[in-house]
């Protein structure tokens, strides 16, 4: 949901720690001034009396505990016209406040002829807001914009409407203005962070509303221009500047600030520096000449690429005064990720900081014969000048002597390829001034005092840079896209990129495209990534060979899942384990760097590791066991998605007609948790349906797609959902499964309709209905006539639509499907609107709403309210339509239905414009553009036209023209009839026929 320009919802204030409270102990006393002035104890709101009494309270609260004299209070509350009994009134107010505060009355003190309120830290909302704002400023100065934005949002959430709402007196008025200005300044700062964090598209609706509310505030105009430009709306960004310059000239007789003019010029020049800034690479000094022996470091990699942030961070740590840096740095990551290259590179960069030498050893931790700590200590002692006869036999004695030899020295030690913390501990100097770098495939969480570094794969840019350094600029620049395909096929793994580049260098007759094609075959990719004694597969085999039997099984089976990652509960289903045992196996794989934990409870493979895991599964698992693992995952997704569907749609009969599953599915505490699961699992769920979409699991895959329709309707997965539905329908047709084909085509028809491809949607629904009737499939007999009715409405075939919808109503009633009946009634309302039966439209929409309300359906009630709002619009009952649509947009937002939420914002914009509220209309239209809406590009053009009308009524003609020109280009490309209306608007604008919005708002808009 987009932020509003007014104020976030109030949140509880921070409460000072008071020790453990019993259930009967009252909560701490808190005060609010960022909204109505209130005194709150725990959850109880205390009476603060009349407006003048609250004005006294606010004056004392905002003086920060200082004593305010009686004359000052009289001036604050009454100004130049106090009553004759002002002093007595003050005493009465103070007495009443003490009484209201009860046990906390001692916070209000009388002294020096005045009063003061002294609160506990965190007890006043404005103090908390100031602390959060100060922390945000500090975070922003340090470059942590994410943290700064989070803190500012917390501060803004403390506002609950207008500060000091309803208070009389000059002091309250002055403070109200100050706090309002501060509130707006915080919003500007947060929006600045939004833009730098890449949230420019999301910021446009809020900035549009803010500039309408504060038209002369140039900083907001500047931010809006930048947000529009970064959203690809350059013409509108320049139009904002033109509108601003004209407004300032007309209202104030001044020109825009230089900053605004400079931004306009930079937009005209397409200045690349206007893009969100990245993290700059810091300069580093060249390494000093090598110090004296021991100098055991391996040679640095000449073409070392990537990890610049960590290299700089660690170099700075090592350069701290007196060597008081982190003594041990443990770098871990999967095989081939470049741990050794990075550690060696850092060690070479830091050699000058360790004039007494650098020690190195390969601990062989990835092999069956890892180096013994005692033998390593012996070699280190010899390198430090200890003769053989002085080296003791025991490990502990050698370790003690090693530490003694390093006393007073500055030595850097690189322990490469360690097996575990037990192997490393005896080799740590533990001496101030000495630093140890450790590399390992194991995450050494049990190595006390170590700074753990999780090394990830390269960024695409870093991987391409490494590839280019090896292959040569000329060959790469000639085939840059193919080069990006190569490094992507390598999973951006440094070892794989190096091998691929070396193969290309060794084969001068190959082009980059040749290599990309060879790596495009996933089944042969690992075999292709071999050059000389370097092989990606061999490095993975070393780690796999050290796994225990249960770990190895988990590693193989989890690699079979096609999703981008996998949740713990889904993994438990694949492994046929309870969640606790599955978590133990997955975390053990994380510790060996064969699996990543991206966030708590979710896991993923690096791309090449996944291919290796699948190869191991094909080699080491029986086909039946592989199929069973995928089938268990499909059952998990089908059963759990059915549970989410049932929560959203109580009484819906579809889940009664699904294929049975072996998994019971997850249970959720509330609807929000269920929807959180569905949308977080969306990519994985669709990937599973695609993977299982053949053979014995085809019907379950199509059922999963059918009940996951929220993913399509939300707009987040519509295109992928449609592609998968098309694939499954073709597979079902080829395999002769009419039920699966009918259900897949039904899902495809719905997705095509959401994308605005109504003719294609109707054809798919027609075929699905024919096949579904032939097999008497109850899952589609009612739904497909309903869908065909909706499609016929959009194709303006209203008599046909009415026939389909009446058939759907009968079918839903026969199946006792009350939600389906309500949906068809609401859709029938739209037919009545188009055929001029306004009262019938309202009546059937209200019938649908009543059914939804009786069933307690949140999401479907939103559809009912939307239909009712359209019917009320057609009847010219704008305020009632506004109420219904406002309810609908809130419900759609709660249900994560972005496309329907966008549609409803479109309708709200129409109503607001009809009611002559252009600023509100523009804000809703911007929300619709940001969210998207059903109908694809056609709908976007319609909304842009509406936005232009609102902007014109606001006096922003240049930006209105930009909107209309964009709308016209879309309509012309689509060949839609609405192009003529837009041409008329542009023609009137060119002829200076203003204003034009009055004609658009003179009658209620007709729903489309």
């Amino acid at each position: 949901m987009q932020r509003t320009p007014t104020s976030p919802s109030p949140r509880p204030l921070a409460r000072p720690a008071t020790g453990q409270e019993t259930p009967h102990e009252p909560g701490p006393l808190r005060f609010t001034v960022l909204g109505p002035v209130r005194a709150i104890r725990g959850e109880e709101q205390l009476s603060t009396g009349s407006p003048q009494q609250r004005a006294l309270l606010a004056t004392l609260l905002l003086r920060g505990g200082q004593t305010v004299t009686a004359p000052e209070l009289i001036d604050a509350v009454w100004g130049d016209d106090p009553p004759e009994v002002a002093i007595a009134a003050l005493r009465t107010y103070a007495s009443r406040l003490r009484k209201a505060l009860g046990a906390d009355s001692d916070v209000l003190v009388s002294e020096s002829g005045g009063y003061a309120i002294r609160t506990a830290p965190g007890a006043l909302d404005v103090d908390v807001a100031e602390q959060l704002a100060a922390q945000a400023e500090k975070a922003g100065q340090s470059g942590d914009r994410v943290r700064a934005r989070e803190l500012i949002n917390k501060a803004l959430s403390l506002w609950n409407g207008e500060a000091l709402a309803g208070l009389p007196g000059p002091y309250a008025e002055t403070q109200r203005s100050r706090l309002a200005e501060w509130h707006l300044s915080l919003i500007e700062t947060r929006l600045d962070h939004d833009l730098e964090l890449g949230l420019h598209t999301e910021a446009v609706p809020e900035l549009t509303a803010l500039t309408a509310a504060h038209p002369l505030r140039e900083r907001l105009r500047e931010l809006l221009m930048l947000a529009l430009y970064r959203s690809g709306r350059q013409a509108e960004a320049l139009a904002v500047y033109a509108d601003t310059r004209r407004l300032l000239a007309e209202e104030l007789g001044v020109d825009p600030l230089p900053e605004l003019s400079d931004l306009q010029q930079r937009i005209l020049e397409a200045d690349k520096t206007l893009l969100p800034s990245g993290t700059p690479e810091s300069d580093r000094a060249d390494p000093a000449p090598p110090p004296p022996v021991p100098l055991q470091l391996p040679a640095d990699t000449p073409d070392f690429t990537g990890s610049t942030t960590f290299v700089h961070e660690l170099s700075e740590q090592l350069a701290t005064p007196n060597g008081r840096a982190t003594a041990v740095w443990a770098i871990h990551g999967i095989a081939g990720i470049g741990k050794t290259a990075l550690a060696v590179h850092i060690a070479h960069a830091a050699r000058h900081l360790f004039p007494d030498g650098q020690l190195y050893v390969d601990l062989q931790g990835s092999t069956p014969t890892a180096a013994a700590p005692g033998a390593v200590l012996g070699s280190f002692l010899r390198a430090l000048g200890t003769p053989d006869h002085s080296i003791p036999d025991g490990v502990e004695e050698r370790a003690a002597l090693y530490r003694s030899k390093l006393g007073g020295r500055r030595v850097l030690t690189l322990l490469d390829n360690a097996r575990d913390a037990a192997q490393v501990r005896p080799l740590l100097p533990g001496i101030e001034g000495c630093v140890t770098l450790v590399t390992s495939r194991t995450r050494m969480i049990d190595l006390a005092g170590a700074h753990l570094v999780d090394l990830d794969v390269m960024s695409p840019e870093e991987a391409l840079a490494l590839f280019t350094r090896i292959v040569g600029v000329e060959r790469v620049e000639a085939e840059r896209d193919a080069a990006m395909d190569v490094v992507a096929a390598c999973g951006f793994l440094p070892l794989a990129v190096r091998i691929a580049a070396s193969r290309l260098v060794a084969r001068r007759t190959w082009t980059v495209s040749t290599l990309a094609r060879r790596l495009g075959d996933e089944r042969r990719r690992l075999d292709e990534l071999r050059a000389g004694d370097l092989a990606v597969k061999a490095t993975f085999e070393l780690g796999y060979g050290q796994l225990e039997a249960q770990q190895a099984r988990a590693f193989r089976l989890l690699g079979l899942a096609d999703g981008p990652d996998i949740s713990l509960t889904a993994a438990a289903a694949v492994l046929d384990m309870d969640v606790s045992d599955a978590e133990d196996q997955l975390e053990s794989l994380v510790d060996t760097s064969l699996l990543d934990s991206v966030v708590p409870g979710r896991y993923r493979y690096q791309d090449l590791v996944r291919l290796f895991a699948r190869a191991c599964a094909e080699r080491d698992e029986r086909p039946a066991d592989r199929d069973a693992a995928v089938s268990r995952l499909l059952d998990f997704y089908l059963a759990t998605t059915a549970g989410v569907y049932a929560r959203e749609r109580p009484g819906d009969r579809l889940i009664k007609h699904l294929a049975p599953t072996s998994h019971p599915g997850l249970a959720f505490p509330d609807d929000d948790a269920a929807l959180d699961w569905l949308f977080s699992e969306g990519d994985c769920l669709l990937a599973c349906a695609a993977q299982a979409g053949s053979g014995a699991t085809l019907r379950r895959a199509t059922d999963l797609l059918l009940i996951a329709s929220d993913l399509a309707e939300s707009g987040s997965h519509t295109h992928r959902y449609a592609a998968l539905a098309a694939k499954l329908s073709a597979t079902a047709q080829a395999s002769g499964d009419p039920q699966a084909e009918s259900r897949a085509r039904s899902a495809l028809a719905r997705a095509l309709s959401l994308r605005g491809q109504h003719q294609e949607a109707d054809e798919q629904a027609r075929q699905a209905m024919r096949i579904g009737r032939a097999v008497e499939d109850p899952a589609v007999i009612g739904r497909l006539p309903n869908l065909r009715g909706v499609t016929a409405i959009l194709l303006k075939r209203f008599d046909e639509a009415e026939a389909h919808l009446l058939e759907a109503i009968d079918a839903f009633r026969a199946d006792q499907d009350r939600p389906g009946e309500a949906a068809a009634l609401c859709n029938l309302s739209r037919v009545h609107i188009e055929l001029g039966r306004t009262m019938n439209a309202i009546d059937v929409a209200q019938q649908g709403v009543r059914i939804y309300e009786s069933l307690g359906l949140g999401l479907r009630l939103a559809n009912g309210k939307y239909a009712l709002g359209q019917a009320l619009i057609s009847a010219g009952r704008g305020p009632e339509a506004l109420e219904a649509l406002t309810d609908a947009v809130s419900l759609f937002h709660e249900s994560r239905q972005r496309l329907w939420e966008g549609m409803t914002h479109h309708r709200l914009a129409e109503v607001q414009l009809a009611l002559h509220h252009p600023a509100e209309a523009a804000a809703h239209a911007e929300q619709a553009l940001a969210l998207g809406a059903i109908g694809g590009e056609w709908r976007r053009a319609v909304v842009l036209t509406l936005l232009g009308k609102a902007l014109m009524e606001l006096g922003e003609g240049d930006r209105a023209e930009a909107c209309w020109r964009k709308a016209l280009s879309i309509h012309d490309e689509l060949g839609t009839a609405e192009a003529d209306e837009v041409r008329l608007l542009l023609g009137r604008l060119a002829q200076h026929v203003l204003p034009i919005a009055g004609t658009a708002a003179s009658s209620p808009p007709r729903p489309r």
Side-chain angles (χ1 to χ4, degrees):
M1 182 176 180
Q2 288 294 313
R3 296 173 292 271
T4 63
T6 53
S7 61
S9 300
R11 298 181 184 173
L13 298 179
R15 301 185 181 183
T18 58
Q20 186 173 1
E21 296 179 357
T22 68
H24 303 290
E25 189 176 0
L29 181 65
R30 297 172 290 130
F31 296 93
T32 69
V33 294
L34 299 178
V37 175
R38 296 188 178 116
I40 304 167
R41 182 184 294 112
E43 301 301 325
E44 177 190 6
Q45 181 173 323
L46 307 179
S47 173
T48 51
S50 66
Q52 287 79 11
Q53 186 169 307
R54 284 184 279 115
L56 169 66
L57 175 61
T59 304
L60 297 176
L61 287 170
L62 291 172
R63 292 295 290 268
Q66 296 179 352
T67 300
V68 188
T69 65
E72 290 175 320
L73 288 170
I74 291 171
D75 184 68
V77 176
W78 291 285
D80 296 330
D81 189 26
E84 294 181 0
V85 293
I87 293 291
L90 288 178
R91 292 178 184 140
T92 301
Y93 296 157
S95 176
R96 290 175 180 171
L97 284 173
R98 286 196 181 97
K99 183 177 180 181
L101 295 175
D104 297 299
S105 61
D106 56 346
V107 301
L108 177 55
V109 298
S110 304
E111 58 183 17
S112 303
Y115 298 91
I117 287 183
R118 298 193 175 117
T119 60
L124 180 60
D125 57 355
V126 72
D127 292 342
V128 176
E130 288 174 351
Q131 292 167 9
L132 290 169
Q135 293 171 18
E137 182 178 7
K138 185 176 180 182
Q141 290 172 346
S142 66
D144 190 353
R145 288 186 177 272
V146 173
R147 176 64 175 159
R149 178 179 181 273
E150 176 186 346
L151 290 166
I152 292 175
N153 273 330
K154 286 183 179 179
L156 290 171
S157 73
L158 296 174
W159 262 265
N160 184 19
E162 182 184 53
L164 306 174
L167 291 196
Y171 183 82
E173 184 60 35
T174 300
Q175 292 300 312
R176 199 159 29 241
S177 299
R178 178 183 70 83
L179 292 171
E181 173 60 26
W182 183 43
H183 181 252
L184 192 55
S185 176
L186 287 174
I187 292 176
E188 287 175 340
T189 303
R190 191 254 299 145
L191 284 165
D192 182 67
H193 290 309
D194 285 351
L195 299 190
E196 290 307 309
L197 291 170
L199 301 176
H200 35 271
T201 301
E202 294 83 347
V204 170
E206 182 176 359
L207 282 164
T208 296
L210 282 168
T211 53
H214 306 278
L216 298 178
R217 199 169 179 99
E218 292 183 65
R219 177 56 178 157
L220 289 173
R221 298 274 182 162
E222 181 182 354
L223 290 169
L224 177 57
M225 288 173 64
L226 187 57
L228 287 167
Y229 177 77
R230 289 180 177 176
S231 300
R233 298 161 70 175
Q234 180 180 4
E236 285 186 67
L238 294 170
V240 170
Y241 177 82
D243 287 330
T244 304
R245 182 176 59 183
R246 184 178 59 253
L247 180 65
L248 291 173
E250 292 172 355
E251 296 291 330
L252 304 177
V254 298
D255 291 324
L257 290 172
E259 292 85 350
L260 208 61
S261 301
D262 178 64
L263 178 58
Q264 181 225 18
Q265 186 62 35
R266 293 168 68 192
I267 290 175
L268 287 169
E269 296 169 354
D271 188 347
K272 293 182 179 180
T273 62
L274 290 178
L275 299 176
S277 57
T279 303
E281 181 178 357
S282 303
D283 296 332
R284 297 188 300 275
D286 293 329
V293 290
L295 303 175
Q296 296 184 344
L297 293 177
D300 196 4
T301 305
D303 50 17
F304 178 85
T305 307
S307 304
T308 53
T309 300
F310 176 61
V311 170
H312 178 67
E313 176 189 351
L314 184 52
S315 299
E316 282 192 339
Q317 288 284 332
L318 298 181
T320 54
N322 303 319
R324 288 175 183 163
T326 301
V328 182
W329 291 72
I331 306 169
H332 100 281
I334 61 173
I337 205 166
K339 301 180 294 295
T340 299
L342 173 62
V344 169
H345 185 73
I346 291 171
H348 275 281
R351 282 186 309 174
H352 63 288
L353 302 173
F354 301 94
D356 299 312
Q358 304 94 46
L359 298 169
Y360 171 84
V361 64
D362 181 355
L363 293 174
Q364 298 291 314
S366 58
T367 69
T369 55
V376 175
L377 286 168
S379 68
F380 281 176
L381 287 169
R382 294 185 190 94
L384 292 169
T386 308
D388 284 347
H389 63 81
S390 299
I391 298 175
D393 293 332
V395 174
E396 292 184 4
E397 291 81 1
R398 289 186 176 190
L401 180 59
Y402 174 59
R403 291 192 293 272
S404 299
K405 287 287 184 180
L406 293 178
R409 298 189 184 188
R410 289 183 57 81
V411 174
L412 173 66
T413 304
L414 174 49
L415 305 177
D416 192 21
N417 195 15
R419 167 168 289 181
D420 51 32
Q423 186 188 28
V424 168
R425 286 191 194 98
L427 309 179
L428 299 179
I431 303 296
E432 185 174 311
C434 293
V435 170
T436 303
L437 299 177
V438 183
T439 72
S440 176
R441 299 184 185 185
T442 302
R443 196 168 194 268
M444 296 192 177
I445 56 177
D446 52 345
L447 190 61
H451 182 92
L452 304 182
V453 178
D454 299 337
L455 197 58
D456 203 353
V457 295
M458 289 178 151
S459 69
E461 294 76 16
E462 291 171 340
L464 184 62
L466 174 59
F467 185 78
T468 303
R469 288 185 178 183
I470 299 172
V471 172
V473 174
E474 184 176 348
R475 293 181 79 179
V476 172
E477 287 299 321
E479 298 180 274
R480 186 176 179 84
D481 290 344
M484 282 301 301
D485 291 341
V486 169
V487 297
C490 293
F492 310 113
L493 188 71
L495 175 63
V497 173
R498 184 174 295 281
I499 290 173
S502 299
R503 290 197 70 191
L504 189 60
V505 169
R507 290 162 175 78
R508 302 303 300 178
T509 59
W510 282 13
T511 64
V512 181
S513 298
T514 302
L515 179 59
R517 282 193 299 272
R518 296 178 71 94
L519 293 176
D521 183 354
E522 287 191 353
R523 299 186 66 85
R524 289 191 47 80
R525 187 175 299 166
L526 290 174
D527 295 328
E528 290 286 342
L529 291 173
R530 176 187 297 274
D533 61 350
L534 294 177
V536 171
K537 191 173 183 179
T539 63
F540 292 162
E541 284 283 7
L542 288 173
Y544 177 68
Q546 294 183 20
L547 298 178
E548 298 177 358
Q550 283 292 324
Q551 287 179 305
R553 174 181 177 271
F555 175 74
R556 295 190 299 268
L557 293 184
L558 292 175
L560 295 173
D562 265 355
D565 60 4
I566 192 167
S567 66
L568 174 58
T569 49
V574 172
L575 301 178
D576 198 18
M577 293 180 173
D578 64 44
V579 173
S580 178
D581 290 341
E583 184 175 28
D584 289 342
Q585 295 300 324
L586 269 63
E587 287 298 326
S588 70
L589 292 174
V590 171
D591 288 340
T592 62
S593 297
L594 288 172
L595 193 65
D596 289 336
S597 179
V598 287
V599 294
R602 298 201 74 87
Y603 302 86
R604 72 178 178 193
Y605 286 102
Q606 193 275 338
D607 293 345
L608 294 178
V609 177
R610 181 195 297 275
L611 294 180
F612 176 70
R614 289 188 174 180
C616 291
E618 292 177 1
R619 181 187 67 193
D620 301 338
E621 293 283 348
R622 295 181 304 169
D625 292 336
R626 298 198 300 268
D627 292 343
V630 175
S631 180
R632 288 192 296 270
L633 181 62
L634 176 61
D635 278 357
F636 165 78
Y637 281 130
L638 179 55
T640 307
T641 306
V644 176
Y645 187 95
R647 288 192 73 103
E648 284 286 289
R649 304 165 178 83
D652 194 306
R653 299 280 296 170
L654 177 59
I655 60 171
K656 302 296 184 183
H657 308 306
L658 302 176
T661 64
S662 61
H663 197 286
L666 300 177
F668 300 102
D670 52 48
D671 291 349
D672 281 343
L675 288 173
D676 285 342
W677 178 87
L678 178 65
F679 289 104
S680 65
E681 291 284 1
D683 288 332
C684 298
L685 184 154
L686 294 177
C688 179
Q691 184 177 11
S694 62
T697 54
L698 173 60
R699 284 196 176 184
R700 280 181 286 156
T702 56
D703 282 356
L704 175 57
L705 189 67
L706 200 60
I707 59 168
S709 57
D710 280 346
L711 295 177
E713 294 193 9
S714 71
S716 58
H717 297 78
T718 307
H719 291 278
R720 186 175 178 190
Y721 184 97
L724 177 55
K727 175 185 175 184
L728 292 183
S729 63
T731 302
Q733 182 181 28
S735 61
D737 189 335
Q739 177 179 303
E741 182 183 356
S742 176
R743 295 185 181 192
R745 287 188 185 278
S746 176
L748 177 57
R750 180 62 181 142
L752 291 171
S753 178
L754 291 169
R755 289 166 54 176
Q757 297 172 250
H758 305 307
Q759 195 67 52
E760 297 89 338
D762 185 57
E763 175 59 23
Q764 289 297 328
R766 185 189 66 79
Q767 294 189 46
M769 195 158 68
R770 173 182 56 80
I771 298 168
R773 282 173 174 166
V775 296
E776 297 182 349
D777 183 4
V780 298
I781 286 176
R783 283 169 175 75
L784 284 169
N786 184 51
L787 178 57
R788 291 202 71 192
V790 173
T791 306
I793 292 171
L794 295 169
L795 293 172
K796 303 187 183 304
R797 302 201 294 253
F798 303 118
D799 292 335
E800 179 184 330
E802 185 171 22
H804 285 311
L805 292 169
L806 290 173
E807 178 185 352
I809 291 170
D810 289 341
F812 283 130
R813 286 173 177 168
D815 197 28
Q816 297 182 350
D817 190 332
R818 295 281 283 161
E821 178 189 350
L825 285 168
C826 290
N827 291 327
L828 183 59
S829 171
R830 297 171 63 187
V831 175
H832 288 317
I833 292 171
E834 297 295 344
L835 296 177
R837 309 167 189 160
T838 303
M839 296 311 298
N840 288 349
I842 295 174
D843 179 57
V844 295
Q846 288 174 335
Q847 290 181 46
V849 168
R850 284 195 293 270
I851 292 174
Y852 286 139
E853 288 177 337
S854 69
L855 296 172
L857 296 180
L859 170 58
R860 294 311 165 200
L861 179 58
N863 291 113
K865 292 279 191 177
Y866 177 86
L868 179 58
Q870 286 188 285
L872 291 167
I873 290 173
S874 69
R877 292 156 63 175
E880 294 174 75
L882 195 63
E883 180 180 356
L885 292 171
T886 301
D887 290 343
V889 80
S890 177
L891 291 167
F892 281 132
H893 174 71
E894 291 172 5
S895 300
R896 325 289 174 83
Q897 298 296 312
R898 280 179 63 93
L899 293 182
W900 276 109
E901 187 182 352
M903 282 289 293
T904 313
H905 276 295
H906 175 201
R907 300 306 182 200
L908 282 164
E910 289 181 329
V911 177
Q912 292 286 14
L913 193 59
L915 294 174
H916 299 283
H917 301 153
E920 291 83 351
H924 283 298
E926 284 286 8
Q927 291 276 29
L929 290 172
L931 292 164
I934 296 169
E937 282 295 286
W938 172 82
R939 180 72 61 182
R940 180 165 173 256
V942 171
V943 176
L944 281 168
T945 305
L946 179 62
L947 175 59
K949 293 176 182 179
L951 292 171
M952 181 60 73
E953 196 161 329
L954 288 169
E956 299 189 26
D958 290 293
R959 189 176 168 199
E961 181 182 5
C963 290
W964 289 338
R965 292 200 179 281
K966 181 62 179 176
L968 181 60
S969 70
I970 295 172
H971 283 311
D972 283 342
E973 184 176 348
L974 297 176
T976 45
E978 288 81 2
D980 292 338
E981 177 196 0
V982 182
R983 286 194 182 90
L984 178 62
L985 291 171
L986 287 168
R988 296 186 64 175
L989 181 63
Q991 296 167 16
H992 304 289
V993 181
L994 299 172
I996 65 165
T999 58
S1002 61
S1003 60
R1006 189 171 186 81
R1008 287 173 290 184

